[in-house]
């Protein structure tokens, strides 16, 4: 069923439902939602109400996931490129996400290097561009493994779900905003951070995403 374009408020509701159902695994109680909005979402086959519980349909789950993706990409853009204050990233992302549609969303994702997590460590659902591993020229953010020998960059964010790896990266000073010069790529990656030199393997270097060039 082809649904109509939903407004920003309904998108926010779908996002909330997706997070509760998919990430927190808690039931969506129908009476806690505005009944008019539920009817509108139900009329577009995005949700259904069953035994007092709201259930996302397959289409609703896909649409909600797209909303989550746009929101978290917006947060990355605000944090990594526009360098917005961290305490404003979430609220600003809520407003900014609604402007990321279709081709623009994919262009932003590619420019950011197809990030896997938002600034708060939550996963960003993959898009078509991620699955095809699109890489466009002029990319502003990239993993350190794509940086040329001798190039100086600035750490944008660390992408790791392993706490031990994260501690290693933090211990050598590879923190957002830190300048890094790649001195050697083989057999290990030699990084100049401040006045110190560190050697890391390719896997660890790939978890450091850096900002290249300038806007």
């Amino acid at each position: 069923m082809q649904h109509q374009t939903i407004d920003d408020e309904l998108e926010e509701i779908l996002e909330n439902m997706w997070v509760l159902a998919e990430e927190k695994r808690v039931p969506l109680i129908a009476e806690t939602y505005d009944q008019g909005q539920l009817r509108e979402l139900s009329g577009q086959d995005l949700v259904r109400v069953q035994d007092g519980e709201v259930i996302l349909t397959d289409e609703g789950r896909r649409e909600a996931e797209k909303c989550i993706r746009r929101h978290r990409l917006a947060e990355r853009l605000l944090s990594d490129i526009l360098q917005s204050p961290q305490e404003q990233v979430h609220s600003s992302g809520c407003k900014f996400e609604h402007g990321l549609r279709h081709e623009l969303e994919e262009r932003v994702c590619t420019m950011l290097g197809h990030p896997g997590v938002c600034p708060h460590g939550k996963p960003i659902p993959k898009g078509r561009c991620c699955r095809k591993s699109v890489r466009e020229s002029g990319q502003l953010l990239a993993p350190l493994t794509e940086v040329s020998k001798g190039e100086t960059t600035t750490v944008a964010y660390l992408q790791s779900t392993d706490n031990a790896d994260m501690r290693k990266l933090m211990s050598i000073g590879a923190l957002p905003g830190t300048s890094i010069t790649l001195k050697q790529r083989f057999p290990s990656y030699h990084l100049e951070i401040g006045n110190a030199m560190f050697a890391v393997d390719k896997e660890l270097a790939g978890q450091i995403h850096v900002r290249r060039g300038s806007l």
Side-chain angles (χ1 to χ4, degrees), residues 72-89:
R72 293 177 181 174
L73 280 174
E75 289 186 329
R76 282 252 74 107
L77 182 64
L78 289 163
S79 176
D80 301 334
I81 300 299
L82 302 182
Q83 298 182 309
S84 298
Q86 287 301 306
E87 64 272 14
Q88 297 177 13
V89 165

Side-chain angles (χ1 to χ4, degrees), residues 20-167:
L20 291 175
E22 301 294 322
E23 293 187 356
K24 297 187 178 180
R25 302 294 179 180
V26 299
L28 309 176
I29 308 303
E31 64 182 19
T32 63
Y33 293 94
D34 179 275
Q35 298 307 298
Q37 293 172 329
L38 276 186
R39 284 193 295 272
E40 189 169 351
L41 290 170
S42 179
Q44 295 196 46
D45 195 34
L46 297 173
V47 305
R48 71 174 187 272
V49 179
Q50 180 178 315
D51 298 326
E53 185 176 335
V54 181
I55 300 172
L56 286 168
T57 64
D58 290 342
E59 180 62 25
R61 191 176 296 107
R62 284 191 291 269
E63 188 66 23
E65 188 173 87
K66 291 177 184 177
C67 295
I68 289 289
R69 172 174 161 77
R70 289 194 296 267
H71 179 95
R72 293 177 181 174
L73 280 174
E75 289 186 329
R76 282 252 74 107
L77 182 64
L78 289 163
S79 176
D80 301 334
I81 300 299
L82 302 182
Q83 298 182 309
S84 298
Q86 287 301 306
E87 64 272 14
Q88 297 177 13
V89 165
H90 178 74
S91 58
S92 297
C94 288
K95 301 173 183 177
F96 197 79
E97 67 176 277
H98 303 296
L100 295 182
R101 291 284 193 271
H102 308 302
E103 293 84 0
L104 181 57
E105 170 200 317
E106 292 196 354
R107 290 179 64 187
V108 168
C109 186
T110 300
M111 179 185 70
L112 293 173
H114 307 285
V117 295
C118 75
H120 309 100
K122 296 180 180 179
I124 299 175
K126 298 295 183 184
R128 182 176 58 184
C129 61
C130 305
R131 291 188 289 269
K132 291 184 177 180
S133 298
V134 175
R135 290 293 184 268
E136 294 183 353
S137 60
Q139 180 174 298
L140 293 178
L141 297 184
L144 192 61
T145 49
E146 295 183 10
V147 169
S148 301
K149 178 181 176 182
E151 187 175 349
T152 298
T153 59
T154 303
V155 179
Y157 64 93
L158 306 179
Q159 183 176 320
S160 176
T161 57
D162 187 292
N163 290 334
D165 283 351
M166 187 65 74
R167 286 194 293 270

Side-chain angles (χ1 to χ4, degrees), residues 1-7 40 44 46 63:
M1 177 177 179
Q2 183 67 34
H3 65 81
Q4 305 169 5
T5 301
I6 60 176
D7 63 28
E40 189 169 351
Q44 295 196 46
L46 297 173
E63 188 66 23

